[in-house]
Amino acid sequence: MTQLQALYADMQKFFHPLWPGEDKPLVLGEGNAFNPPLMLIGEAPGETEVIKRRPFVGKAGKNLDEFLSMMEMKREDIFISNVVKIRPTDIGPTGRTRNRAPNKEELALFIPWLMKEIAIVQPKALVTLGNVPLKALTDPKITIGDCHGTFMDCQAGVPLFALYHPASIIYRRALMPVYQADVLTLKEALQNTK
Ligand code: URA
């Protein structure tokens, strides 16, 4: 068993009893878990991710494919995970289950495990998507608008590069050129460190 498999087994043991009677499966990280050039960290899985038990395979997976093609990388080159590994949901006005942002309790439960995951995977750089992973790894007062497209220090001891969450671009189209310029900055920075 690898260190990462052992960590994930410990997570299953820890989280399984927390929500008795509720179906809250963990969607764990996947990809190149041995010192990859990048570890991508999202917020939490959505509906499709839970069905497939894989991160970034739903609508967000399409965004990820665009990111990878801009970076000229393949999915298996990098490691992909989320801060919160269950799907946070609530019930919308029409009675349908919908995604919601992770709450404070969920973040407090999952962040220590994320730190262990990063320590095992040892990526050369972290790429956070949106505010949730950025705040989780730096400072809750920092926002994506202030620091996107730059490398920062973070608690995990790995350089962190903040990107807008690709889903936010769907709602704010004006962010598209900003996001693309940030990805290009990241690509050039990685090429210069090769
Ligand atoms: N899917 C994920 O796995 N993570 C996100 O942040 C969004 C969608």
Side-chain angles (χ1 to χ4, degrees):
M1 194 190 266
T2 65
Q3 257 186 302
L4 190 63
Q5 285 167 336
L7 177 82
Y8 287 166
D10 286 348
M11 286 186 77
Q12 299 286 11
K13 263 188 242 146
F14 176 85
F15 284 99
H16 186 68
L18 285 192
W19 297 290
E22 283 182 75
D23 186 26
K24 290 198 180 202
L26 297 180
V27 176
L28 302 166
E30 67 171 31
N32 173 5
F34 301 96
N35 202 213
L38 291 182
M39 175 168 169
L40 214 69
I41 307 177
E43 180 175 310
E47 186 179 16
T48 313
E49 283 79 15
V50 168
I51 293 169
K52 301 204 171 155
R53 302 281 204 279
R54 295 181 61 199
F56 287 95
V57 289
K59 258 194 218 130
K62 220 179 137 269
N63 296 323
L64 175 65
D65 290 344
E66 283 161 19
F67 167 82
L68 290 169
S69 110
M70 277 191 258
M71 293 293 294
E72 295 182 72
M73 283 181 160
K74 293 196 207 69
R75 195 176 162 107
E76 56 271 27
D77 294 335
I78 65 171
F79 194 76
I80 302 166
S81 199
N82 284 296
V83 180
V84 167
K85 290 175 172 62
I86 52 155
R87 178 189 178 206
T89 57
D90 61 13
I91 307 294
T94 57
R96 281 195 51 170
T97 301
R98 58 181 187 183
N99 295 341
R100 61 165 168 77
N103 62 32
K104 276 200 186 123
E105 290 74 28
E106 288 158 345
L107 289 167
L109 278 172
F110 279 98
I111 288 171
W113 295 97
L114 174 67
M115 301 305 278
K116 290 186 201 174
E117 193 181 23
I118 295 169
I120 291 170
V121 173
Q122 293 192 15
K124 296 192 180 71
L126 297 169
V127 174
T128 54
L129 299 179
N131 266 317
V132 169
L134 171 68
K135 286 171 186 276
L137 290 166
T138 58
D139 178 336
K141 290 196 281 293
I142 288 179
T143 66
I144 187 82
D146 301 329
C147 62
H148 66 89
T150 59
F151 275 100
M152 317 167 57
D153 292 332
C154 80
Q155 284 154 24
V158 178
L160 180 155
F161 190 87
L163 284 178
Y164 279 103
H165 198 291
S168 67
I169 293 158
I170 296 167
Y171 306 106
R172 288 172 65 193
R173 295 306 298 176
L175 286 180
M176 192 49 158
V178 180
Y179 174 79
Q180 285 172 335
D182 290 349
V183 175
L184 215 62
T185 304
L186 173 64
K187 185 179 176 188
E188 282 167 8
L190 291 191
Q191 275 165 353
N192 290 337
T193 56
K194 263 186 192 161

